[in-house]
Amino acid sequence: MSKRAIITGITGQDGSYLAELLLDKGYEVVGVTRRLSAPNTGRIEHLLGRIELRPADLLDQLSLMTVVDEVRPHEFYNLAAMSFVPASWDQPLLTGEFNAQGVTRVLEAIRRVDTSIRLYQASSSEMYGKVRETPQSEDTPFYPRSPYGVSKVFAHYITVNYRESYDLFAASGILFNHESPRRGLEFVTRKVTDGVARIKLGLAKSLSLGNLDAHRDWGFAGDYVRAMWLMLQQETPSDYVIATGVSHSVQELVQTAFDHVGLDWQEHVKTDPKFLRPAEVDHLIGDSSRARAQLGWQPNVDFTRLVTMMVDADLERHQSGRAPVSVY
């Protein structure tokens, strides 16, 4: 009998890669999508004949309970969120409703319908914020620096609370930044690779960015969804940091991308204060020792390969005249 999985956020970067992985493993995949006035299926267009989409919303408890009751999944991957950190200052209340209480609603649906369902909750390195130690592990104290980070801390601890209170199999992945050609254009990695492609093809002359000194631990989303799946195959649930363990600055990202197309980044990049965060997160680097030891996980795609893959995909897209997929 094939396993069934529900994925919230299936139309996003991670959801699309995870759906591909689960289909390859023989799963029946049900994606939960919000009702929108326009379709948002660009990242999963190639999967639409192989997956089922059902309407539900993290803001609506009844819709979540209904879809869990009707599908009765073996695994539930909660990837839906207000995921763009800068926007969380503009919409802090909505960010909390989706990212914090939305997770509580998912947990309640599983608790009330079927406690045997295994839950993956997408936690975030942004929970570390003003970091207390470097590198960051599962035991590093949280100090979030944005409404997004604060909402993710609530979601993380409510997942732990339900696991310990109701004996649910609920695992959280504390994922550090993970990118791909499917990343939204508003994220700095994709903004850079798309900007480089546009400049190389003569479609733009400059690229405006914020803090070039910020450091991040960047990996490939395709590697990271494999870790999600591995977490739900264990005998007991736990929380895991998923990261490459190597940190790079935004300036290194920029230089790598421009070098790939034979351009000098300093001739094209401008810094603009409007892109600075109210409270910056300066240096994130993850210690994924637990995941490597207990899950047998390790990343396959390194930083340079990731950046060049994204630049090549944006070059190809612009040359073919295809529009980018929707932001969210």
Side-chain angles (χ1 to χ4, degrees):
M1 185 184 72
S2 61
K3 283 186 175 180
R4 286 184 306 283
I6 286 177
I7 304 174
T8 67
I10 195 169
T11 59
Q13 169 189 256
D14 293 6
S16 64
Y17 280 110
L18 179 60
E20 288 175 348
L21 177 78
L22 296 181
L23 288 170
D24 287 345
K25 294 184 178 296
Y27 278 65
E28 295 175 33
V29 176
V30 176
V32 166
T33 59
R34 299 169 59 206
R35 292 196 186 277
L36 299 171
S37 56
N40 183 30
T41 55
R43 295 183 182 89
I44 56 170
E45 206 73 46
H46 60 299
L47 303 176
L48 291 181
R50 303 172 61 197
I51 61 177
E52 180 184 356
L53 297 180
R54 287 177 174 247
D57 197 309
L58 292 186
L59 302 185
D60 180 13
Q61 180 74 67
L62 182 58
S63 70
L64 291 171
M65 291 182 65
T66 299
V67 75
V68 170
D69 186 42
E70 291 178 351
V71 175
R72 294 287 173 147
H74 301 89
E75 298 170 2
F76 190 120
Y77 295 85
N78 184 41
L79 309 185
M82 291 278 285
S83 61
F84 185 46
V85 176
S88 71
W89 276 283
D90 298 328
Q91 295 181 299
L93 297 178
L94 188 60
T95 298
E97 278 296 322
F98 272 113
N99 296 1
Q101 296 302 350
V103 177
T104 312
R105 294 183 187 103
V106 168
L107 288 159
E108 269 295 286
I110 290 173
R111 182 178 79 86
R112 290 173 179 272
V113 175
D114 183 355
T115 57
S116 72
I117 296 169
R118 295 189 167 205
L119 173 68
Y120 171 82
Q121 166 57 24
S123 285
S124 169
S125 60
E126 289 285 333
M127 300 189 302
Y128 295 119
K130 190 174 182 179
V131 297
R132 295 313 207 176
E133 62 182 7
T134 301
Q136 295 89 49
S137 72
E138 295 83 1
D139 298 322
T140 302
F142 300 135
Y143 193 146
R145 298 270 278 172
S146 67
Y148 172 85
V150 172
S151 70
K152 282 292 188 176
V153 170
F154 179 99
H156 183 82
Y157 279 126
I158 199 68
T159 301
V160 171
N161 186 257
Y162 269 66
R163 178 170 72 209
E164 296 176 350
S165 301
Y166 301 116
D167 198 29
L168 299 184
F169 191 110
S172 290
I174 307 173
L175 271 54
F176 280 64
N177 295 65
H178 47 289
E179 318 297 322
S180 77
R182 300 178 192 174
R183 191 59 141 153
L185 285 169
E186 75 278 21
F187 290 88
V188 68
T189 46
R190 187 71 194 290
K191 182 179 179 181
V192 167
T193 61
D194 179 71
V196 167
R198 288 170 59 82
I199 292 168
K200 179 64 176 178
L201 296 173
L203 301 173
K205 292 184 178 180
S206 64
L207 174 63
S208 296
L209 297 170
N211 182 10
L212 297 182
D213 295 324
H215 283 68
R216 294 292 184 272
D217 183 332
W218 279 299
F220 173 51
D223 288 337
Y224 285 37
V225 299
R226 184 162 36 87
M228 300 176 188
W229 177 77
L230 286 167
M231 288 180 211
L232 297 196
Q233 313 314 308
Q234 305 306 303
E235 286 188 16
T236 55
S238 189
D239 306 321
Y240 298 90
V241 164
I242 304 300
T244 69
V246 181
S247 183
H248 297 273
S249 69
V250 174
Q251 182 172 313
E252 288 177 82
L253 164 69
V254 168
Q255 184 168 350
T256 301
F258 275 96
D259 284 351
H260 183 56
V261 297
L263 295 175
D264 181 352
W265 71 272
Q266 291 176 306
E267 295 180 4
H268 301 281
V269 173
K270 302 174 180 177
T271 55
D272 189 331
K274 77 178 182 182
F275 294 117
L276 297 175
R277 297 182 182 185
E280 183 57 83
V281 174
D282 290 316
H283 198 166
L284 293 174
I285 178 170
D287 176 1
S288 58
S289 302
R290 179 189 291 180
R292 294 172 193 243
Q294 296 182 12
L295 305 179
W297 176 85
Q298 62 180 19
N300 295 327
V301 177
D302 67 15
F303 175 75
T304 301
R305 186 175 157 206
L306 172 65
V307 176
T308 57
M309 172 203 309
M310 293 174 66
V311 171
D312 288 342
D314 280 320
L315 282 168
E316 193 275 329
R317 179 174 58 80
H318 282 295
Q319 287 169 326
S320 67
R322 285 183 289 111
V325 294
S326 301
V327 170
Y328 293 112

